[in-house]
Amino acid sequence: MKQPLTKLLIIAAALLASCSKNADNSPLPQPTATDSVALIPLTQDWKKAIHLMKDFPNGVQVFLNKKTINNKATVMYAVVFDPKLIELKPVTSATNKKVSDFYNEELSRKFACINGGFFGTNTSYSLSMYNGIISAVNIKALTRTYNSTNTSYYPTRAAFGLKADGTPEVAWIYHVGTGNGTIYSYPTVSPNFLNSAPQAVPSATFPTGATVWSVNSAIGGSPMLIKNNNINITDEEELIVIDNNASRARSAIGYTNNNKVILLAVEGNNPNGGTGLSLAELAQVMKDMGCAGAINLDGGGSTSLIVNGTATVKPSDSGGERPVITALILKSKS
């Protein structure tokens, strides 16, 4: 005689419950990031940095790569996370502060912290937004020489954002209006170039295809590295031509087609370690990791990545960690 369906379900549930406990009736340990499969497919050059992942939950993993790129020694750390499980918290300080200080001052359960966008003394030049609150804007105007005259340019610069549901994206953006304004994103970069007349101030209609950028949290940088699955380095249009072809420390953020996010820190200026990458090499590394979109963050002496309380890449500056204005903290959602 067949058992009623409800009775079979009760028996199955009991068996599953018993299998999830030890002989002494205590719960079995749950899987962690150290014993789970990689969140994204990576080449064998990327080794899971288990020593940095103690007590990490599923949803965030750390990898180390020391492969040679174009005859240059590298030291690269990547933190890969699922934004639906792990919180990305852009933070801004009123004064320049070390990345390790940003990390240490975060009171919640945190996993990593990397430097953010560009800055001056106690001033951010790049967007920082968390849970809809803007604490810094992408720079709205730059002065460059044109026809021997100081001239204002209005660049649409790159930014990385997360929607309320955790979906990541990158865009060229501009804050339209006064103050923080309304953030508009554009499908193409405003085509500014040095030694050419400046483009119009970006607006709700220029460049073509403007839409209100509906993200919940974001960090600005420059330039765009990857857009729509293609390497698209718009450093000239974003007016950020600074040491782009030099080998130096680099920081970047990007996302894959399965909506996992990658924080990348590349060591530079270390004769006994990583010598650094050019901007094009950085973009290729992100592309090889599977990024569908990626932007450059501030690099050089600003590059710093703290994971589980431990410093990773050696600072480029001889004096150690460089104080910055914005940073990205990975933390628990609860």
Side-chain angles (χ1 to χ4, degrees), residues 6-33:
T6 53
K7 187 173 182 179
L8 289 175
L9 290 174
I10 292 172
I11 294 171
L15 287 172
L16 286 173
S18 66
C19 290
S20 64
K21 294 181 179 180
N22 289 309
D24 62 359
N25 209 38
S26 63
L28 287 171
Q30 296 302 304
T32 65

Side-chain angles (χ1 to χ4, degrees), residues 211-248:
T211 57
V212 175
W213 201 35
S214 300
V215 296
N216 194 51
S217 296
I219 190 72
S222 190
M224 185 75 70
L225 299 175
I226 300 170
K227 187 78 162 72
N228 298 327
N229 286 292
N230 295 312
I231 292 178
N232 188 1
I233 303 174
T234 52
D235 52 339
E236 294 186 1
E237 296 91 333
E238 296 184 46
L239 301 175
I240 192 75
V241 181
I242 48 172
D243 297 328
N244 294 345
N245 297 320
S247 297
R248 63 199 301 261

Side-chain angles (χ1 to χ4, degrees), residues 42-319:
L42 293 171
T43 64
Q44 292 183 350
D45 297 312
W46 289 100
K47 309 297 183 184
K48 192 177 286 187
I50 296 176
H51 65 288
L52 295 173
M53 297 166 57
K54 179 177 172 56
D55 298 326
F56 272 21
N58 279 329
V60 57
Q61 298 172 341
V62 188
F63 299 88
L64 171 61
N65 192 330
K66 292 186 177 182
K67 73 175 181 179
T68 299
I69 297 178
N70 294 330
N71 297 317
K72 294 183 293 189
T74 67
V75 176
M76 303 182 290
Y77 284 89
V79 182
V80 183
F81 70 98
D82 184 341
K84 295 185 182 299
L85 301 175
I86 304 296
E87 187 90 0
L88 178 69
K89 181 181 180 181
V91 288
T92 306
S93 175
T95 58
N96 297 58
K97 186 163 61 179
K98 295 177 181 178
V99 170
S100 57
D101 292 332
F102 278 107
Y103 179 91
N104 291 331
E105 291 170 11
E106 175 60 39
L107 298 180
S108 62
R109 174 74 173 103
K110 67 259 184 167
F111 309 110
C113 185
I114 194 172
N115 65 289
F118 294 88
F119 63 94
T121 302
N122 303 331
T123 302
S124 177
Y125 300 147
S126 298
L127 169 67
S128 179
M129 175 169 60
Y130 179 55
N131 283 343
I133 305 298
I134 297 174
S135 55
V137 302
N138 262 11
I139 194 165
K140 298 178 71 173
L142 299 167
T143 300
R144 298 290 187 266
T145 302
Y146 175 61
N147 285 343
S148 302
T149 302
N150 286 338
T151 304
S152 292
Y153 289 77
Y154 309 94
T156 52
R157 283 194 165 173
F160 171 95
L162 288 173
K163 295 181 179 181
D165 66 357
T167 302
E169 61 180 58
V170 294
W172 294 283
I173 68 165
Y174 194 82
H175 300 258
V176 176
T178 59
N180 291 342
T182 300
I183 304 177
Y184 278 82
S185 69
Y186 306 91
T188 59
V189 64
S190 184
N192 287 292
F193 291 97
L194 293 177
N195 303 315
S196 297
Q199 298 293 311
V201 178
S203 66
T205 58
F206 175 82
T208 302
T211 57
V212 175
W213 201 35
S214 300
V215 296
N216 194 51
S217 296
I219 190 72
S222 190
M224 185 75 70
L225 299 175
I226 300 170
K227 187 78 162 72
N228 298 327
N229 286 292
N230 295 312
I231 292 178
N232 188 1
I233 303 174
T234 52
D235 52 339
E236 294 186 1
E237 296 91 333
E238 296 184 46
L239 301 175
I240 192 75
V241 181
I242 48 172
D243 297 328
N244 294 345
N245 297 320
S247 297
R248 63 199 301 261
R250 304 283 178 183
S251 302
I253 183 171
Y255 69 94
T256 64
N257 280 310
N258 66 343
N259 290 332
K260 301 303 186 291
V261 180
I262 300 172
L263 303 178
L264 179 69
V266 180
E267 188 173 280
N269 195 34
N270 181 4
N272 299 314
T275 56
L277 298 176
S278 69
L279 209 60
E281 291 166 338
L282 176 69
Q284 189 62 57
V285 168
M286 295 295 276
K287 177 65 175 172
D288 291 344
M289 294 183 76
C291 283
I295 72 167
N296 181 56
L297 299 174
D298 195 9
S302 298
T303 291
S304 180
L305 174 65
I306 307 297
V307 178
N308 216 2
T310 301
T312 58
V313 293
K314 180 182 177 181
S316 288
D317 288 355
S318 59

